[in-house]
Amino acid sequence: MLVNADSIEAVNIYQSIVRPVLFTGLKADPEWLHQQTLSALGWLDQTHRQPAVHWLQAQLAATYCLTDDRLAQSVWGLSFSNPIGLAAGFDKDGVASGVWSSFGFGFAELGTVTFSAQPGNPPPRLFRLPLDHAALNRMGFNNQGAAMMAAVLQQRWGAVRRKEEPEATRHQNSCLPFPIGINLGKSKMTPLEEAAADYVGSFQLLKDWGDYFVVNVSSPNTPGLRSLQAADQLNPILAALQAENTGQKPLLIKIAPDLEWDAIASILETAQKHKLAGIIATNTTIRREGLSTKVIASTGKAVQEEAGGISGAPLRQRSTEVIRFIWKETHGQLPIVGVGGIFTPDDAWEKITAGASLVQVYTGWIYEGPGMVRRLLEGVLQKLDERGLTSLSQAIGLNE
């Protein structure tokens, strides 16, 4: 199999020059760097009709996209050109929704968005743990609210919906097709007993703009949120959302990696009861065992004393174990999106063969750089070749 030389060069440049400057040379706050990156990508998206920007996005797609029929599949009636998606948390307000496909992603999940705009937790609230290839965040669902996201997506995609632009421009210069998911959270100000109305309010505003939706009840950074994973609290939320879901958009739930097996089994029963389309496994972990990082340099505190969820490599094994458990419990009948600790093709392959139909990356993309997605796809294709498989769907759950 041929490997794209440009993508290898981009990876090498990022890891040897760009990442050291961003991570250590500038000594900049990770959240500030994230905001600057997102602002630049948002500008690219907003100005996508300008010839120079159109050309630039075409160059990005030529470098980072990889299209191969063996990677394509249909999940929930949606067509995915490849199984690698951008996880929720990077583009909370959907400001760069049209750019992600140019980096080779097969889909992107926007949010987490809440019904009420909210600033999130006090900074500093995002930390890198380079020794562990990880990140610690306690952002707290900082976002501009569901109404603002709806307005942003209306401005970006309204012309396509009105047929004033061809459908192809929805993800021009990309690896088409490209579904967009929207991750819904509970507003911090909303009492837990009113959570259902809060989720429904966001869904009502955004249901025309997402191809699938995710109920996030597993972030550790909103007080009490994880308690909504219990069946007695989850049932009314899912019932209310499905009652509103007249367009039958695929509805998924994102779960925590720290749940016991019986709790996960209970969630699966609830998900099947309400005819959910799938499970996202998993969110960040509150566990700190086995970390090489002992002290957060920017605060001087022990990592055990810092609140927040850990993402990246420390989550890899546990998220895969949860995927494998869900696959077995549901006999492969409930599609799984695997997320947590994906850095290499082996990591992605492990989750797919454990039972994930799709996978998502975030922390790994920050560490590995923009060439990561193409490198993952090239590796997955090589593994299909080695095993004599003709499609990705044949690999799902293969090791179970």
Side-chain angles (χ1 to χ4, degrees):
M1 184 187 68
L2 295 177
V3 177
N4 182 271
D6 290 338
S7 67
I8 293 176
E9 183 179 357
V11 170
N12 291 338
I13 291 174
Y14 181 85
Q15 294 184 356
S16 63
I17 300 176
V18 178
R19 189 176 73 186
V21 171
L22 294 178
F23 277 32
T24 58
L26 293 178
K27 295 183 179 179
D29 174 59
E31 184 178 354
W32 180 85
L33 285 174
H34 179 101
Q35 291 170 341
Q36 299 308 305
T37 300
L38 196 58
S39 293
L41 295 175
W43 177 83
L44 282 177
D45 202 14
Q46 294 164 14
T47 58
H48 69 282
R49 294 186 183 89
Q50 296 182 12
V53 176
H54 180 89
W55 177 86
L56 177 58
Q57 290 202 38
Q59 299 311 301
L60 289 173
T63 301
Y64 298 124
C65 283
L66 189 159
T67 302
D68 191 299
D69 289 344
R70 291 171 293 172
L71 297 170
Q73 60 181 320
S74 177
V75 185
W76 316 308
L78 302 174
S79 296
F80 294 80
S81 62
N82 74 66
I84 311 295
L86 179 71
F90 201 107
D91 190 356
K92 292 176 181 286
D93 297 306
V95 298
S97 60
V99 172
W100 300 117
S101 54
S102 297
F103 287 98
F105 288 107
F107 65 107
E109 195 170 301
L110 310 178
T112 297
V113 62
T114 55
F115 181 72
S116 302
Q118 55 188 41
N121 294 322
R125 54 193 183 180
L126 179 62
F127 310 92
R128 296 193 197 94
L129 283 62
L131 293 177
D132 297 288
H133 285 79
L136 186 157
N137 96 81
R138 50 171 177 261
M139 304 298 289
F141 289 167
N142 57 306
N143 72 102
Q144 297 299 310
M148 180 60 74
M149 179 185 278
V152 168
L153 297 179
Q154 162 72 35
Q155 182 179 23
R156 179 61 178 86
W157 304 116
V160 175
R161 294 292 176 87
R162 294 191 300 270
K163 308 299 183 183
E164 294 170 9
E165 290 185 31
E167 179 65 23
T169 64
R170 176 172 179 180
H171 301 292
Q172 204 157 25
N173 300 324
S174 67
C175 306
L176 292 171
F178 190 83
I180 288 178
I182 298 179
N183 188 293
L184 307 176
K186 183 191 76 68
S187 306
K188 185 176 181 179
M189 63 183 291
T190 300
L192 290 172
E193 58 270 20
E194 298 175 17
D198 194 86
Y199 282 100
V200 169
S202 295
F203 181 72
Q204 288 173 330
L205 290 167
L206 292 162
K207 60 185 178 181
D208 290 336
W209 302 108
D211 294 306
Y212 72 88
F213 288 82
V214 180
V215 182
N216 187 342
V217 287
S218 52
S219 170
N221 301 317
T222 295
L225 186 76
R226 285 189 167 192
S227 69
L228 297 178
Q229 294 174 111
D232 61 334
Q233 299 202 58
L234 188 57
N235 272 308
I237 295 172
L238 299 181
L241 281 168
Q242 290 292 45
E244 180 64 30
N245 189 17
T246 55
Q248 296 185 324
K249 291 292 179 77
L251 186 66
L252 293 78
I253 183 171
K254 188 170 187 175
I255 65 173
D258 308 312
L259 295 169
E260 299 296 334
W261 297 123
D262 58 347
I264 297 176
S266 177
I267 289 175
L268 295 178
E269 290 178 7
T270 304
Q272 292 170 320
K273 172 184 175 181
H274 292 282
K275 296 181 172 56
L276 295 195
I279 304 287
I280 297 188
T282 63
N283 214 315
T284 58
T285 180
I286 58 175
R287 295 175 179 172
R288 301 290 191 267
E289 298 88 350
L291 294 177
S292 297
T293 302
K294 304 305 178 186
V295 176
I296 301 296
S298 59
T299 67
K301 294 182 180 179
V303 67
Q304 289 84 0
E305 297 177 17
E306 296 285 5
I310 299 286
S311 62
L315 188 58
R316 179 186 301 127
Q317 181 178 345
R318 177 59 181 176
S319 64
T320 302
E321 290 172 351
V322 173
I323 292 166
R324 187 174 291 112
F325 177 82
I326 295 171
W327 174 265
K328 288 181 177 179
E329 285 289 300
T330 63
H331 305 288
Q333 298 304 302
L334 191 64
I336 305 165
V337 181
V339 55
I342 296 175
F343 286 71
T344 69
D346 285 341
D347 300 334
W349 184 255
E350 182 180 54
K351 283 180 167 46
I352 291 167
T353 56
S357 297
L358 304 165
V359 296
Q360 293 177 328
V361 299
Y362 181 163
T363 303
W365 198 62
I366 300 301
Y367 275 87
E368 299 296 305
M372 176 193 186
V373 176
R374 181 168 190 134
R375 182 166 55 86
L376 293 180
L377 295 174
E378 289 169 343
V380 168
L381 284 172
Q382 182 174 346
K383 290 181 182 298
L384 290 174
D385 287 341
E386 291 171 351
R387 289 155 181 80
L389 303 177
T390 59
S391 70
L392 184 76
S393 59
Q394 293 174 338
I396 298 169
L398 185 65
N399 287 347
E400 297 309 316

